[in-house]
Amino acid sequence: MVVSTITENGTNGEQSSPTMGIAPGDYRLVGWDMDTTGKKLTDEICQIAGYTPSSAYSQYVMPYKDLNPPAIKRHNMRVVTVGKYRMLKNSKTNKVLKTKSEVSALTDFLTWLESVKGDAADGVILLYHEPRKVIPAMLLESLQRYNLVERFKQTVRGFANGFNIAEAKCTNSVRTFSLRTLSRTLLKRTEELDNAKDRAYLALQVLQYISLQENTKVGETSGSGDSDTAMKSTIEFIQPFVQPIHIEEEERAKLKVVFERQNSLRPIFGPLFKASRKERQHASPLRRLLAEAGIEYSQLQEAWSNGQKQGLEKLIKEKLIAAEDKKIEDLIKVLESYFDPEKNSKAKTRHEKKDMKSESSKIIDDRENNNKCDSGTETPDTTSSSPINTKLELPENGKVSIED
């Protein structure tokens, strides 16, 4: 059975067991990936790509909104405006990328998948590689916008996540299961992974390698990785890990609910996401914990009104039974500082005063040290009889005479 759980940023993660997937049949396996403007269901596609040993598809898409900063860094592309026109550019080369609208790119992608399916009676399996599963739901959401889901379901039977397959099969050979690590360790390749086309290719190549190694262990021979026999063997190998379309649609519906809860928590976490990167990384899993537990802003507000900190603790501990104590403690601190900003301000003021006192003591100590004389020296005589303080008296004619 393929069991799905919600993970960071409201995305899905899978835990696979070999008791369910899809039934044996006549399938085509396609390596697939997408680049998007962000990781929310409402974000748009900016590149979609697919790969088979005999055919490939890749198309950049002009989104209506800009890529968010993490997406710009991840995909090395950005939207620029020149005069009245918006265009997509490669951040490394600064070259303009040839784009289509999202609906045109998706329509072309479906046409390509239909040609790849050919005479395969049971359809296409889309293979991707993602630690935090979100792009199947994003693809379905995009298809839904243009009423293309039914056409998609006529061709595609399900999705398989190469990350989960590697996690189940490669624990003795690698410690981490990212596509970058697997491609370097297993394939001895070091390609850049900022392009969806390259990731689609590597996702299929890595999976074929893992399948070949597994078949070798059990004494089967399947020829070279791209042969028809090897591909059929690879498809049989991944069938227990394939998630059918209807399951993905159910998860997409659950994701929408989670994102709505996250949006309700914006008054609390919004300022934290606008702060430093460290603050964002700290806030994201805490917001996720609340959303996954079904806690919305109104519930937190009611808990604070009824019992303040104790009310929050009661609600959090009832809903987050399996959460780590440290995360619960951090969460309570964030919530308390939001609902009682005056207390947080006082604590901050005390901390600042303590820092100022320490700084003042340091300045005083430095001044005292500077006023001390070096060993073996004498201080100048500044008494009234000292030559330093004696005034020079001039005669009445204002001239000074010097006598030997």
Side-chain angles (χ1 to χ4, degrees):
M1 181 177 180
V2 181
V3 181
S4 298
T5 56
I6 306 298
T7 62
E8 187 167 357
N9 295 326
T11 60
N12 284 13
E14 296 167 292
Q15 296 175 339
S16 303
S17 66
T19 59
M20 180 185 165
I22 56 173
D26 184 12
Y27 301 103
R28 294 286 186 271
L29 185 60
V30 173
W32 162 73
D33 213 323
M34 293 194 320
D35 288 337
T36 54
T37 57
K39 287 294 185 181
K40 296 180 181 179
L41 286 178
T42 54
D43 282 309
E44 303 167 78
I45 299 170
C46 49
Q47 187 186 12
I48 185 168
Y51 170 82
T52 71
S54 59
S55 181
Y57 174 85
S58 177
Q59 179 61 56
Y60 289 102
V61 177
M62 187 67 238
Y64 284 101
K65 62 182 179 180
D66 295 344
L67 285 74
N68 65 26
I72 292 173
K73 183 177 180 181
R74 186 165 53 245
H75 307 321
N76 281 315
M77 66 176 77
R78 57 194 173 90
V79 175
V80 298
T81 302
V82 179
K84 297 180 180 180
Y85 302 98
R86 298 173 76 251
M87 57 190 71
L88 200 62
K89 274 193 174 184
N90 184 302
S91 300
K92 286 184 175 179
T93 63
N94 207 34
K95 290 183 178 179
V96 176
L97 302 171
K98 188 176 181 180
T99 61
K100 287 188 175 183
S101 66
E102 190 175 66
V103 62
S104 295
L106 287 171
T107 303
D108 291 349
F109 181 60
L110 291 180
T111 301
W112 178 77
L113 287 176
E114 289 162 355
S115 68
V116 168
K117 175 186 174 183
D119 59 356
D122 296 302
V124 169
I125 298 170
L126 291 181
L127 172 71
Y128 65 101
H129 195 106
E130 193 177 32
R132 294 187 177 95
K133 174 186 171 184
V134 67
I135 58 171
M138 296 184 74
L139 176 61
L140 290 171
E141 186 72 12
S142 297
L143 291 167
Q144 183 66 46
R145 281 198 287 267
Y146 308 108
N147 298 317
L148 294 172
V149 173
E150 291 305 317
R151 180 181 172 185
F152 177 76
K153 290 163 73 172
Q154 291 174 6
T155 304
V156 177
R157 181 65 181 274
F159 296 88
N161 190 348
F163 182 91
N164 295 325
I165 300 172
E167 193 174 32
K169 300 295 183 179
C170 300
T171 52
N172 295 328
S173 56
V174 294
R175 292 184 178 181
T176 58
F177 308 101
S178 68
L179 189 57
R180 185 183 302 278
T181 298
L182 291 171
S183 62
R184 286 178 177 176
T185 305
L186 304 181
L187 305 181
K188 312 301 179 186
R189 306 181 75 101
T190 58
E191 280 92 341
E192 293 293 331
L193 300 180
D194 56 354
N195 190 291
K197 182 180 179 180
D198 295 335
R199 295 196 304 275
Y201 165 79
L202 286 175
L204 184 57
Q205 292 294 310
V206 165
L207 203 284
Q208 287 179 307
Y209 180 93
I210 295 171
S211 172
L212 184 62
Q213 294 302 109
E214 285 293 311
N215 290 333
T216 302
K217 288 179 184 177
V218 297
E220 297 181 6
T221 57
S222 55
S224 62
D226 289 340
S227 68
D228 291 340
T229 304
M231 184 61 74
K232 183 177 179 181
S233 179
T234 299
I235 293 171
E236 292 174 355
F237 170 69
I238 72 167
Q239 281 175 8
F241 299 91
V242 177
Q243 188 138 302
I245 297 295
H246 72 275
I247 299 296
E248 295 288 354
E249 289 183 309
E250 291 173 6
E251 291 190 356
R252 178 171 65 100
K254 293 176 182 177
L255 274 177
K256 282 189 172 183
V257 175
V258 171
F259 281 125
E260 286 173 4
R261 292 192 196 121
Q262 288 185 343
N263 286 334
S264 78
L265 298 170
R266 185 174 296 174
I268 299 172
F269 292 94
L272 298 178
F273 280 97
K274 294 178 181 178
S276 64
R277 181 182 179 184
K278 185 177 180 181
E279 286 287 343
R280 290 196 300 271
Q281 290 176 338
H282 179 249
S284 180
L286 298 180
R287 184 183 66 169
R288 182 190 74 237
L289 278 176
L290 292 174
E292 289 176 7
I295 300 175
E296 298 181 354
Y297 178 81
S298 59
Q299 294 172 275
L300 294 169
Q301 198 171 36
E302 183 180 356
W304 177 262
S305 299
N306 293 336
Q308 295 197 336
K309 184 178 180 181
Q310 289 74 19
L312 290 174
E313 288 177 342
K314 182 181 178 181
L315 175 65
I316 297 301
K317 290 178 180 179
E318 284 178 355
K319 296 286 189 177
L320 302 176
I321 299 173
E324 299 174 7
D325 291 341
K326 179 64 169 62
K327 288 188 176 180
I328 291 179
E329 182 183 343
D330 290 347
L331 187 53
I332 294 296
K333 286 181 180 178
V334 170
L335 296 175
E336 188 181 14
S337 66
Y338 170 77
F339 286 108
D340 191 2
E342 185 177 348
K343 180 179 178 181
N344 186 52
S345 178
K346 288 179 180 178
K348 185 177 179 182
T349 302
R350 286 197 301 268
H351 182 70
E352 289 175 348
K353 286 182 178 179
K354 184 178 179 182
D355 289 345
M356 290 176 64
K357 185 176 180 180
S358 299
E359 185 65 25
S360 298
S361 299
K362 184 176 180 297
I363 293 171
I364 292 171
D365 291 341
D366 290 343
R367 286 178 178 174
E368 288 178 351
N369 290 332
N370 289 336
N371 287 335
K372 290 181 180 179
C373 298
D374 295 336
S375 177
T377 62
E378 295 181 355
T379 57
D381 183 3
T382 58
T383 62
S384 58
S385 60
S386 168
I388 294 176
N389 285 340
T390 302
K391 294 182 180 180
L392 182 62
E393 295 183 359
L394 298 178
E396 293 181 359
N397 59 10
K399 295 182 181 180
V400 179
S401 61
I402 300 176
E403 298 181 356
D404 293 336

